[in-house]
Amino acid sequence: MATTIQNLFTVIQFGGPLVGGTLALGAAVATPAVRRADVKKELKEIRNQGVIWGIIVAPLATAIVQFLLNTVVSGGNSCAF
């Protein structure tokens, strides 16, 4: 179980910024090529969400959950990674 949780956090920690950064960069590159204002607005929103969730929230949430698992003792055992 601990190995599965560790693998899940590894995927979130490294996959989150990879996907979020890719979406943000793709949206930033595609925005000048689009003429319609509504599509530009959606691309800007994709860029902002990619930066917020992928680059800021995913690593921060992984660090917080890892801290909680390492310090909070459940039944006398900690889930140290």
Side-chain angles (χ1 to χ4, degrees):
M1 180 76 174
T3 304
T4 304
I5 293 172
Q6 182 178 7
N7 291 340
L8 182 65
F9 286 135
T10 303
V11 167
I12 293 170
Q13 187 175 12
F14 295 113
L18 181 65
V19 172
T22 303
L23 285 173
L25 182 62
V29 169
T31 300
V34 175
R35 291 181 183 225
R36 292 176 39 191
D38 58 337
V39 176
K40 280 190 178 191
K41 187 175 181 180
E42 288 180 19
L43 285 173
K44 287 179 184 178
E45 187 63 30
I46 291 171
R47 182 192 63 205
N48 293 341
Q49 292 297 320
V51 169
I52 291 170
W53 289 102
I55 299 173
I56 297 171
V57 173
L60 185 62
T62 303
I64 290 171
V65 171
Q66 191 171 17
F67 171 76
L68 290 174
L69 287 175
N70 287 335
T71 57
V72 175
V73 178
S74 175
N77 296 324
S78 66
C79 298
F81 290 144

